[in-house]
Amino acid sequence: MLNFYKIISFTLLISFCFCEGYNMQLMSFLPYEVESNDITGFAQDGREFAVIGLQNTASFVDITDPYNPQEVGRIDGSNSIWRDLKYWDRHVYIGTEANDGVKVVSVDDLDNPILVNTITDVDNSHNIHVDSDGYLYIVGADEHDVWIYDLVNPENPSLVGTWDLQGDSSSTEGYCHDIEVYNNKLYCASIYVGYFRIIDVTDKTNPVTLVSHFTGNSGISTHDVAVTEDENYLFTGDENSGGHIKVWDISDYNNINLVDEYITPDGEEHSAHNLYVKPGVEQLVISYYADGTRVLDISDPENVEEIAFYDFSDIEGLYVSNWGVYAYLPSGYFISSDI
């Protein structure tokens, strides 16, 4: 059965000039005065919120009424086109490629987000991730390929371990551009060398590399990864001209195989960006830059099928329009950021 998806967009106003969709309807959009980047969401105290990265701030938006999003606050920072944002236990974590460390923001008062701490072990980072057990992972930072923090005290993260592909320091080969952590395995996209890696993080003090697999493109390519709930299949997204989605059978680490690929109708001139497996429904949600938000049926991972999409803009290019999507709100609404 096909679902009908509903989406809220956060966008630079001048770019919102054209849209089209299939099985997905725009409920509302909130314009900004500058370009946006990544997005996350959370539900707390019976309300739903989006947090959107802008060039020099993070915007906190009440979307409990999906027809009427309302900004409730901002947490300012240095100028950068990259911001990554994650929520855990009444706190939001903000990483950026500016030299701002990782900001810790209390949302205990939902209408008044407050900066309460900053992780200063790293100056900057490309991405952050929080797993279901309450560990924060920082990637794309100096000194180590992965930094791991315990969030048992969410206001004061505690460093518990690091991982490096080569020795005890970060490297181009080990650089993780984006990651997914599921069932104590860290899935890493090594964008600069075209590999995905699988790392056992059961012991956070001593992560162990299980697999390094070449995805077929050397140089800048493998941007993001997402894994099925049974961990038998891994999806990778290449970020380059013609970059698209590849499906890998990883059920046997000694015999990994490419089993399917997905590309949009205009994909040869565009690029995929971020990937998200939506649990419980066997769907892959993609922020596909110029091709908007796309949803694939992955019930048969070796024969994926597009079942919905929403394209926000007619602006052409590799790195335009849809940066990120958050697809895990209890209401079922998707929230997307349009650069």
Side-chain angles (χ1 to χ4, degrees):
M1 177 183 295
L2 292 181
N3 292 319
F4 192 81
Y5 301 88
K6 299 177 180 180
I7 195 165
I8 304 169
S9 174
F10 301 87
T11 178
L12 180 65
L13 181 59
I14 58 171
S15 73
F16 202 85
C17 52
F18 167 84
C19 61
E20 62 175 349
Y22 169 70
N23 281 334
M24 189 175 287
Q25 177 184 354
L26 180 69
M27 308 307 293
S28 60
F29 72 95
L30 183 68
Y32 289 103
E33 69 281 3
V34 296
E35 292 182 354
S36 66
N37 41 76
D38 214 350
I39 189 168
T40 195
F42 65 92
Q44 182 180 302
D45 302 337
R47 298 164 68 183
E48 293 188 344
F49 283 78
V51 189
I52 304 95
L54 305 177
Q55 288 180 344
N56 59 0
T57 192
S59 170
F60 291 70
V61 182
D62 185 344
I63 55 170
T64 308
D65 177 359
Y67 296 95
N68 187 33
Q70 296 290 322
E71 186 178 59
V72 298
R74 294 188 175 192
I75 298 295
D76 293 337
S78 301
N79 191 66
S80 175
I81 64 171
W82 284 278
R83 266 177 174 74
D84 204 54
L85 320 111
K86 297 295 184 292
Y87 170 87
W88 179 261
D89 191 11
R90 310 181 79 84
H91 290 76
V92 171
Y93 303 86
I94 305 171
T96 173
E97 291 202 341
N99 291 325
D100 283 355
V102 174
K103 297 180 183 297
V104 183
V105 179
S106 171
V107 290
D108 193 58
D109 178 353
L110 287 167
D111 296 305
N112 185 33
I114 299 173
L115 178 66
V116 293
N117 198 0
T118 301
I119 299 172
T120 58
D121 298 319
V122 301
D123 293 327
N124 53 49
S125 60
H126 182 77
N127 231 304
I128 60 176
H129 178 86
V130 177
D131 70 14
S132 61
D133 295 320
Y135 287 91
L136 169 71
Y137 302 79
I138 301 175
V139 297
D142 293 333
E143 294 188 39
H144 296 290
D145 293 326
V146 180
W147 299 71
I148 308 172
Y149 292 80
D150 190 340
L151 299 181
V152 65
N153 180 349
E155 186 172 319
N156 293 288
S158 174
L159 180 65
V160 294
T162 59
W163 171 84
D164 296 293
L165 180 68
Q166 298 178 355
D168 295 318
S169 62
S170 59
S171 63
T172 300
E173 291 77 11
Y175 175 93
C176 294
H177 194 74
D178 270 298
I179 65 171
E180 174 73 21
V181 182
Y182 180 72
N183 196 24
N184 280 319
K185 296 187 188 69
L186 186 152
Y187 298 86
C188 158
S190 289
I191 189 172
Y192 292 128
V193 290
Y195 275 76
F196 68 77
R197 308 188 194 279
I198 305 175
I199 301 143
D200 186 339
V201 292
T202 303
D203 180 356
K204 304 295 187 292
T205 67
N206 185 35
V208 177
T209 306
L210 301 176
V211 175
S212 292
H213 188 83
F214 183 55
T215 64
N217 288 326
S218 59
I220 295 176
S221 57
T222 310
H223 173 276
D224 198 11
V225 290
V227 67
T228 56
E229 291 183 88
D230 62 11
E231 297 184 272
N232 286 328
Y233 294 90
L234 186 73
F235 304 93
T236 61
D238 287 342
E239 187 184 40
N240 48 35
S241 182
H244 58 286
I245 309 305
K246 297 173 182 175
V247 187
W248 303 89
D249 181 344
I250 60 168
S251 56
D252 179 355
Y253 287 172
N254 295 313
N255 186 31
I256 293 174
N257 292 291
L258 178 66
V259 294
D260 200 9
E261 299 181 72
Y262 161 80
I263 191 168
T264 60
D266 297 318
E268 293 296 340
E269 298 176 352
H270 293 161
S271 173
H273 195 212
N274 289 328
L275 317 178
Y276 320 85
V277 168
K278 189 172 182 181
V281 293
E282 297 183 312
Q283 292 167 3
L284 183 72
V285 182
I286 310 162
S287 54
Y288 212 112
Y289 276 137
D291 290 317
T293 296
R294 325 293 290 203
V295 182
L296 305 185
D297 179 348
I298 58 171
S299 55
D300 177 3
E302 299 190 14
N303 186 28
V304 299
E305 179 183 4
E306 183 178 87
I307 55 175
F309 73 87
Y310 197 89
D311 189 352
F312 303 96
S313 170
D314 62 354
I315 294 176
E316 287 295 312
L318 284 181
Y319 310 126
V320 299
S321 196
N322 187 196
W323 182 297
V325 180
Y326 187 80
Y328 311 112
L329 291 169
S331 64
Y333 289 102
F334 289 9
I335 49 177
S336 293
S337 55
D338 183 330
I339 298 169

